[in-house]
Amino acid sequence: MPLGANKVALFGASADTGSAVLLSTATASSSASLSFTLPTAYKQVKFGFYNITPATDNVAFQFQMSTDSGSSYATTVTTTIFIAEHNEADSYSDLSYRTSEDLAQSTSMMSIAPYIDNASDASTSGELTVYNPASTTYVKHFYSRMPTLANGDYAFDTFYAGYGNTTSAVDACKFAMSSGNIASGTIKMWGIK
Amino acid sequence: MSDWKLLNTSTASGASSVEFTDLTGYKIFKFAFVDVNPATDTVLFEFNASTDGGSNYNVTKTTTFFYAYHWESDAHSGLGYITGSDIAQGTGYQTLMRDVANDADACGTGELYLFNPASTTYVKHFYSRTSTYETRDSIEDSHIAGYLNTTSAVNAIDFKMSSGNLDAVIKAYGLVAT
């Protein structure tokens, strides 16, 4: 392709419909973890989380990536996390960066939704996007936003982002709680054309 | 998951910019940025809009920019508003990614949502979230929002680096009315 501007007339180009393709659905039932094999044909892979509940109170919903088809989940990551919070009692609200939950060149699991309450009506939901996991050239960016009913009757709005610092293809993702099982909940994975 | 229709994929290789024209037919447009890699180190990835089909990219806008950041060395992290990356009634390009590194494995990614660009009644709102491998070996999670302060229809959008060329895949989607 020559140097210069790439100019595209959107309606002069061929178009297809249904950009999001549902690839997999996993439902937790006292599950230690849920894992997904990632597709190679999509530039964006989105996970939707629906009412994820922990068996243990006040734990974090976490994820990690694999470059060996799930034999290990230990990709080196550097991440950010900030949370907006407000309690039901209206006695506390805050927006702050959380140094205790970010990671710097770590292979640990990432807490994308910390402090989940395990009351019968409590859960976390949200969305995570992973960019071009099959790339063998670039690091692998991801970000999520997870509204949560957090321990102590708080509304948490958690923003997590980072990159897997690897040029190997990421071919699997795993989700688990920081302690105990995932009591219930559904995770859906889409490929975005 | 909303019913987004893929309108076009532009694969830039050493391109000076990526433009999309004819922003009609949908109430919401989404642009996805995959593996934005600049030819020049420590430059901005930015956008502007046009009301004359791309002859001029200089729409007046007022915007906000905040971000979370964290260095690989763990030496610095935080959350803050960046006054140097917002715009108050300016016509310049809006920054979506700051200080993108041009290491061989470095890139930025993200999405931009643009609401009802064809309106001839209202200003045009937008918001974006990007994740950037920044030149100091750090992650930046950037959140940008604002409005294009015009009641003219916005019919083209342009993405480029603040200096030099870029490699990237940029996809344009329209939200199908349901």
Side-chain angles (χ1 to χ4, degrees):
Chain A
M1 181 176 296
L3 297 181
N6 282 17
K7 189 168 186 174
V8 176
L10 290 178
F11 292 95
S14 62
D16 59 345
T17 57
S19 65
V21 178
L22 179 60
L23 301 173
S24 182
T25 299
T27 301
S29 178
S30 298
S31 306
S33 65
L34 295 175
S35 301
F36 292 82
T37 299
L38 299 188
T40 58
Y42 298 93
K43 296 293 188 186
Q44 288 178 287
V45 177
K46 286 185 183 274
F47 294 93
F49 309 107
Y50 305 92
N51 298 126
I52 305 296
T53 67
T56 306
D57 195 26
N58 199 22
V59 295
F61 181 61
Q62 302 181 314
F63 104 103
Q64 242 295 3
M65 301 178 288
S66 173
T67 60
D68 56 12
S69 302
S71 296
S72 62
Y73 289 92
T75 299
T76 299
V77 298
T78 295
T79 71
T80 61
I81 177 173
F82 65 95
I83 300 174
E85 60 182 294
H86 184 204
N87 66 356
E88 293 181 5
D90 201 19
S91 60
Y92 187 80
S93 59
D94 184 50
L95 171 66
S96 59
Y97 188 90
R98 303 302 179 101
T99 56
S100 59
E101 277 109 22
D102 67 8
L103 296 173
Q105 295 298 89
S106 169
T107 58
S108 298
M109 296 285 286
M110 294 170 273
S111 296
I112 61 174
Y115 311 116
I116 310 170
D117 199 287
N118 79 334
S120 60
D121 62 347
S123 68
T124 186
S125 299
E127 190 174 273
L128 165 72
T129 304
V130 180
Y131 283 84
N132 203 9
S135 171
T136 55
T137 303
Y138 297 112
V139 301
K140 312 303 183 297
H141 287 276
F142 54 84
Y143 54 66
S144 63
R145 182 175 183 177
M146 300 291 292
T148 301
L149 199 170
N151 188 250
D153 293 331
Y154 280 70
F156 269 39
D157 187 4
T158 301
F159 296 79
Y160 203 97
Y163 52 78
N165 200 354
T166 178
T167 55
S168 298
V170 167
D171 50 21
C173 283
K174 182 176 86 171
F175 303 92
M177 294 296 173
S178 55
S179 178
N181 290 335
I182 305 172
S184 63
T186 300
I187 303 176
K188 291 178 179 286
M189 179 176 72
W190 284 272
I192 310 299
K193 292 180 182 175
Chain B
M1 183 67 62
S2 301
D3 191 7
W4 291 98
K5 181 177 181 179
L6 176 61
L7 303 175
N8 203 278
T9 298
S10 181
T11 301
S13 178
S16 58
S17 67
V18 176
E19 296 177 67
F20 295 94
T21 59
D22 291 341
L23 300 178
T24 57
Y26 298 90
K27 292 293 188 186
I28 308 176
F29 286 84
K30 178 175 73 173
F31 300 92
F33 318 118
V34 180
D35 298 340
V36 176
N37 178 260
T40 306
D41 197 27
T42 318
V43 291
L44 315 174
F45 179 67
E46 53 192 16
F47 91 99
N48 212 330
S50 172
T51 59
D52 57 12
S55 296
N56 297 281
Y57 286 99
N58 57 0
V59 174
T60 300
K61 60 189 76 64
T62 295
T63 69
T64 62
F65 190 111
F66 73 94
Y67 78 144
Y69 62 96
H70 189 199
W71 290 26
E72 290 182 1
S73 66
D74 207 18
H76 301 281
S77 62
L79 173 67
Y81 188 92
I82 306 294
T83 56
S85 296
D86 67 10
I87 293 175
Q89 292 298 93
T91 60
Y93 277 70
Q94 171 62 47
T95 299
L96 297 175
M97 303 175 192
R98 290 169 8 104
D99 298 343
V100 188
N102 79 333
D103 302 17
D105 65 344
C107 64
T109 60
E111 292 179 330
L112 168 71
Y113 293 80
L114 175 62
F115 294 86
N116 203 10
S119 171
T120 55
T121 303
Y122 298 110
V123 301
K124 317 302 184 296
H125 289 278
F126 65 88
Y127 68 83
S128 173
R129 183 179 187 182
T130 61
S131 180
T132 306
Y133 187 126
E134 192 256 9
T135 193
R136 285 170 283 270
D137 289 335
S138 68
I139 170 67
E140 291 198 354
D141 178 16
S142 299
H143 298 254
I144 306 96
Y147 54 84
L148 307 173
N149 198 357
T150 178
T151 54
S152 299
V154 166
N155 48 27
I157 192 166
D158 184 48
F159 301 96
K160 68 178 185 63
M161 309 308 301
S162 56
S163 177
N165 294 330
L166 77 160
D167 297 341
V169 175
I170 302 181
K171 291 172 175 278
Y173 304 86
L175 181 63
V176 177
T178 56

